[in-house]
């Protein structure tokens, strides 16, 4: 009876955070198999189930005794890509690029446990608890898993049902607000930043009972990783990697575990913030993925893709990729951990044994030695990893900002002047983008004149203008500028003297005006334009006044009620 009720439930608030919860187990006959899906009414295809099963276990799990956490990202099946919530569009408009909901992919947050168990034929208990979501909240969901998974592995399904019911009572994810998320006797106090936030307010776990004071935790954010831990062995090549990511170059990260591969890939996607990462990325990828042939074929150039792998088989199948980063197990010490070396692609045969950055790419910019000095100083002072991560994040943010600000200024110069916006004509067009005009402007205002980092900035801009990230950024800017013009036009109309304008106009012209104004109201609502409620009300009164000036027969057509 309870199950039937569960199937009929909408689970709207739960679905705002998670698509579902999966349990993947190891079956002696089937291999990885889906043991449980919750809620029971979750819509998921057989192809998606198969992918989740393979992605939920480490590729070489014989060496993963104990508990392992990692992240994967996979394509949704066609027809399953639309989010059912109307507020999704508003959420994506308000959220920073790195936190927008992804309707075409699932993020899988995995907690894998492998322990010796003599009661099992193979001698091991092997199981994964997976949270599926379209939200890239890796820090929040992995913290949730640390609370939920150990409890689930002990108490099984009743525990999972209780957790899902709690999540279904959470407030909807909304930017700019502090949200209280009760879970298993604790309260996660989180703030999802909005677009205007550069840094985030800390998320704090508040215990509901005194005896839980020892379990107090602090989350730095809903999504940010420990950048220093992720980049510790590749710091000497960070400038080069930033360029490769900025330009959307195909890059493979070969790591000893899915934890390391997924952390590095996710850290790399965030290293060009606040620029949106517009190409595909797979934090953990296996030979069983449906895209395996697509990514390993030699008949065409590799796609713009960041790929994280652990299986040594990829050493041969991905040799034709232009940039390969091979990392080993992390080693922390008072000095900078051993850095991976830059190696030419001709030395690829040594890839299976030696860590390194294998590429023929020559960076446009020089290394920033100041950053390395600051990090070394922090290590010597035994600064916490969070401090070093904050230093790294600020450096990468400032680097991307110094690169993108001149482009923003040029795009701003293409906007028509406010004085050219008149109420009774369509809003003026944005001036066309001209690459050579931009390059001339960059010569006099580019970062090469002010940045401490030297190099061929102009060459980097030329290459960037051909990249998928420029295309994504440019489309977004065009959309924002068009919406700004629409907003300004609406404001000008609200302040206009409509009754004076319609005095000498024909009925046809007046009816045409009413239809255009109504269309504007509909678009303003659909696009969530930043128009005040007072202005909207004023415009509605304008429309009513115009209609009332027409003969009764036309009034009844335009005002059927």
């Amino acid at each position: 009876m309870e199950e039937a009720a569960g199937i009929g439930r909408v689970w709207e608030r739960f679905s705002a955070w998670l698509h579902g919860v999966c349990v993947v187990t190891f079956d002696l006959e089937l291999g990885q198999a889906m043991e449980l899906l919750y809620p029971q009414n979750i819509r998921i295809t057989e192809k998606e189930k198969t992918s989740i099963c393979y992605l939920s276990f480490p590729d070489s799990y014989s060496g993963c005794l104990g508990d392992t956490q990692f992240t994967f990202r996979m394509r949704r099946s066609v027809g399953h890509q639309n989010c059912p919530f109307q507020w999704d569009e508003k959420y994506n408009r308000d959220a920073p690029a790195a936190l927008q909901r992804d309707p075409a992919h699932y993020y899988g947050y995995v907690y894998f446990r492998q322990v010796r168990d003599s009661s099992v034929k193979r001698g091991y208990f092997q199981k994964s608890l997976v949270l599926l979501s379209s939200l890239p909240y890796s820090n929040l969901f992995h913290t949730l898993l640390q609370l939920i998974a150990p409890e689930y592995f002990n108490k099984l399904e009743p525990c999972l049902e209780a957790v899902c019911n709690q999540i279904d009572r959470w407030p909807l994810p909304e930017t700019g607000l502090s949200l209280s998320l009760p879970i298993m006797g604790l309260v996660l106090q989180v703030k999802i930043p909005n677009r205007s936030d550069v840094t985030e307010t800390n998320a704090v776990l508040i215990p509901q009972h005194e005896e839980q004071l020892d379990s107090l935790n602090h989350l730095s954010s809903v999504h940010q990783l420990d950048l220093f831990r992720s980049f510790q062995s590749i710091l000497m090549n960070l400038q080069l990697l930033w360029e490769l990511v900025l330009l959307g170059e195909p890059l493979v990260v070969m790591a000893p575990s899915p934890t390391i591969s997924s952390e590095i890939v996710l850290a790399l996607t965030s290293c060009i913030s606040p620029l949106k990462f517009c190409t595909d990325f797979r934090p953990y990828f296996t030979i069983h993925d449906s895209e395996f042939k697509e990514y390993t074929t030699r008949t065409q150039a590799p796609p713009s893709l960041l790929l994280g792998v652990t299986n040594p088989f990829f050493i041969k199948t991905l040799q034709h990729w232009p940039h390969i980063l091979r990392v080993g197990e992390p080693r922390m010490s008072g000095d900078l951990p051993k850095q991976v070396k830059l190696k030419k692609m001709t030395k690829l045969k040594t890839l299976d044994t030696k860590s390194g950055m294998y590429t023929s790419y020559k960076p446009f910019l020089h290394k920033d030695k100041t950053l390395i000095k600051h990090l070394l100083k922090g290590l010597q002072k035994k600064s916490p990893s969070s401090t070093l991560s904050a230093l790294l994040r600020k450096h990468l943010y400032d680097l991307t900002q110094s690169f993108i600000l001149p482009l923003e200024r040029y795009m701003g110069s293409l906007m028509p002047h406010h004085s050219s916006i008149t109420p009774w004509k369509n809003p003026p067009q944005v001036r066309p983008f001209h690459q050579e005009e931009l390059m001339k402007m960059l010569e006099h205002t580019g970062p090469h004149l002010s940045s401490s980092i030297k190099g061929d900035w102009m060459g980097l801009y030329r290459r960037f203008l051909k990249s998928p990230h420029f295309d994504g950024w440019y489309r977004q800017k065009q959309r924002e500028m068009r919406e700004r013009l629409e907003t300004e036009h609406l404001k000008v109309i609200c302040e206009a003297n409509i009754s004076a304008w319609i005095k000498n106009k024909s009925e046809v012209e007046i009816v045409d005006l009413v239809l255009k104004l109504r269309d504007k109201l509909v678009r303003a609502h659909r696009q969530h334009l930043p128009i005040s409620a007072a202005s909207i009300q004023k415009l509605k009164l304008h429309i009513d006044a115009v209609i009332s000036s027409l003969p009764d027969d036309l009034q009844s057509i335009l005002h059927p009620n």
Side-chain angles (χ1 to χ4, degrees):
M1 194 76 179
E2 280 183 22
E3 188 171 317
I7 291 171
R9 281 187 62 185
V10 177
W11 292 93
E12 183 175 341
R13 286 176 180 265
F14 174 90
S15 300
W17 293 92
L18 294 172
H19 184 71
V21 181
C22 312
V23 177
V24 180
T25 191
F26 190 84
D27 186 288
L28 273 176
E29 293 176 6
L30 303 172
Q32 282 101 299
M34 190 77 72
E35 181 177 274
L36 179 68
L37 272 169
Y38 204 87
Q40 290 96 335
N41 62 348
I42 179 173
R43 287 180 64 209
I44 202 160
T45 65
E46 288 305 314
K47 183 182 175 184
E48 288 169 342
K49 280 184 188 176
T50 303
S51 293
I52 291 165
C53 285
Y54 282 119
L55 287 164
S56 298
F57 271 38
D59 232 353
S60 51
Y61 38 90
S62 55
C64 289
L65 272 176
D67 294 352
T68 303
Q69 284 185 254
F70 58 93
T71 307
F72 67 77
R73 181 173 176 266
M74 57 175 269
R75 284 182 195 164
R76 289 197 191 195
S77 295
V78 177
H80 281 235
Q81 295 187 6
N82 293 325
C83 293
F85 303 102
Q86 290 181 352
W87 45 261
D88 269 355
E89 190 182 335
K90 183 180 184 303
Y91 169 84
N92 274 4
R93 289 173 63 88
D94 296 341
L99 288 180
Q100 287 172 1
R101 189 181 287 277
D102 186 343
H105 295 86
Y106 287 126
Y107 287 89
Y109 303 98
V110 183
Y111 193 110
F112 169 73
R113 174 169 286 185
Q114 180 178 244
V115 289
R116 288 190 174 87
D117 186 345
S118 54
S119 67
V120 181
K121 267 191 180 182
R122 262 189 131 198
Y124 289 98
F125 170 94
Q126 293 171 338
K127 200 168 280 194
S128 283
L129 182 63
V130 187
L131 304 181
L132 273 188
S133 179
S134 59
L135 292 166
Y137 296 171
S138 52
N139 208 24
L140 172 64
F141 289 135
H142 278 302
T143 301
L144 270 183
L145 281 169
Q146 287 164 17
L147 296 169
I148 299 165
E151 194 78 4
Y152 167 74
F153 290 135
N154 290 329
K155 298 179 182 174
L156 301 179
E157 200 168 341
C159 159
L160 210 54
E161 190 173 350
V163 163
C164 290
N165 278 308
Q166 277 190 301
I167 294 171
D168 196 40
R169 292 194 288 273
W170 284 4
L172 298 174
E174 198 172 337
T175 65
L177 300 179
S178 287
L179 305 174
S180 297
L181 313 177
I183 194 82
M184 295 178 70
L186 296 168
V187 176
L188 281 163
Q189 198 74 33
V190 304
K191 184 184 176 188
I192 303 164
N194 58 34
R195 226 170 243 257
S196 58
D197 290 336
V198 175
T199 56
E200 293 178 38
T201 303
N202 281 1
V204 183
L205 274 170
I206 301 174
Q208 290 176 323
H209 308 290
E210 277 186 35
E211 62 270 21
Q212 290 174 323
L213 280 170
D214 290 338
S215 62
L216 189 69
N217 277 302
H218 293 265
L219 295 179
S220 58
S221 80
V222 290
H223 73 295
Q224 287 177 346
L225 300 162
D226 184 333
L227 271 195
F228 183 73
R229 186 182 66 193
S230 304
F231 287 152
Q232 57 179 308
S233 63
I234 55 176
L235 289 169
M236 295 301 182
N237 292 315
L238 194 55
Q239 194 86 41
L240 178 148
L241 286 162
W242 175 82
E243 285 190 27
L244 292 178
V245 174
L246 180 75
L247 300 173
E249 286 287 312
L251 173 63
V252 186
V253 177
M254 294 185 174
S257 73
T259 305
I260 296 171
S261 86
S262 61
E263 281 190 357
I264 291 178
V265 168
L266 289 173
L268 286 171
T269 64
S270 74
C271 81
I272 59 169
S273 177
L275 200 61
K276 184 176 181 178
F277 188 88
C278 294
T279 62
D280 202 358
F281 61 98
R282 303 300 165 91
Y284 173 54
F285 186 77
T286 76
I287 58 174
H288 302 287
D289 271 86
S290 54
E291 287 89 41
F292 177 77
K293 284 185 180 177
E294 182 185 333
Y295 296 159
T296 55
T297 180
R298 291 173 185 244
T299 57
Q300 59 192 49
S304 288
L305 175 69
L306 252 176
L307 201 61
V309 300
T310 60
N311 194 319
F313 181 71
F314 283 108
I315 292 166
K316 289 182 180 178
T317 55
L318 297 175
Q319 274 192 38
H320 62 295
W321 276 53
H323 319 290
I324 300 173
L325 175 63
R326 180 82 159 108
V327 293
E329 291 288 352
R331 292 186 188 91
M332 286 298 286
S333 67
D335 204 343
L336 268 186
K338 193 175 180 183
Q339 298 295 299
V340 299
K341 292 181 179 177
L342 192 61
K343 301 176 182 182
K344 290 184 179 177
M345 293 304 282
T346 50
K347 294 186 179 178
L348 199 57
K349 289 172 185 174
T350 62
L351 185 60
D352 53 336
T353 55
K354 292 188 179 178
S355 296
M357 179 71 214
Y358 295 80
T359 181
S360 300
Y361 178 84
K362 289 183 180 177
F364 287 94
L365 305 181
H366 306 317
K367 283 181 188 174
D368 185 1
K369 291 176 183 174
T370 312
L371 172 70
I372 303 299
K373 282 179 188 173
H374 284 317
L375 290 171
L376 274 170
K377 203 173 182 181
L379 278 169
Q380 285 157 7
K381 288 182 177 178
K382 296 185 178 176
S383 299
S385 187
S386 57
T387 304
L388 300 176
S389 286
L391 182 68
L392 261 176
R393 187 168 285 110
K394 184 178 186 308
H395 167 80
L396 291 165
Y397 184 90
D398 290 348
L399 179 60
T400 307
Q401 276 286 70
S402 64
F403 181 81
I404 216 74
L405 274 174
L407 297 179
E408 300 263 6
R409 279 198 294 268
Y410 174 70
M411 287 298 284
S413 73
L414 303 180
M415 274 287 280
H417 194 269
H418 179 77
S419 61
S420 64
I421 301 171
T422 57
W424 318 124
K425 290 182 181 177
N426 287 330
Q429 296 292 303
V430 175
R431 280 202 309 117
F433 179 98
H434 291 298
Q435 184 174 325
E436 287 314 307
E437 188 180 54
L438 166 69
M439 297 309 290
K440 279 181 184 174
M441 195 198 83
L442 285 171
E443 283 176 18
H444 301 104
T445 61
H448 61 284
L449 299 171
S450 55
S451 176
S452 59
I453 300 170
K454 302 305 174 189
D456 183 10
W457 285 89
M458 299 300 283
L460 184 60
Y461 277 115
R462 282 194 181 89
R463 184 85 172 258
F464 176 71
L465 293 175
K466 298 173 185 173
S467 76
H469 287 133
F470 168 72
D471 186 58
W473 173 84
Y474 178 63
R475 286 171 189 268
Q476 175 66 25
K477 282 290 154 199
Q478 276 194 315
R479 187 161 56 248
E480 287 173 6
M481 289 161 81
R482 281 196 300 268
E483 288 177 2
R484 208 179 313 151
L485 283 170
E486 282 287 336
T487 303
E488 291 302 314
H489 193 222
L490 261 175
K491 287 177 180 175
V492 168
I493 290 170
C494 288
E495 299 306 316
N497 186 344
I498 289 188
S499 55
W501 185 84
I502 62 172
K503 268 183 183 176
N504 303 316
K505 298 296 182 286
S506 66
E507 289 175 2
V508 172
E509 287 175 300
I510 294 171
V511 169
D512 186 51
L513 175 66
V514 169
L515 296 176
K516 279 182 178 176
L517 291 179
R518 279 184 173 169
D519 181 54
K520 278 199 166 289
L521 274 177
V522 169
R523 276 189 291 160
H525 176 71
R526 193 185 301 137
Q527 295 173 358
H528 303 285
L529 296 181
I531 303 285
S532 68
S535 293
I536 293 290
Q537 187 57 34
K538 200 171 183 181
L539 188 55
K540 286 178 179 175
L541 291 172
H542 274 342
I543 293 170
D544 289 342
V546 172
I547 292 173
S548 64
S549 72
L550 292 165
D552 290 349
D553 58 334
L554 286 175
Q555 284 191 42
S556 60
I557 293 169
L558 293 170
H559 254 335
N561 297 330

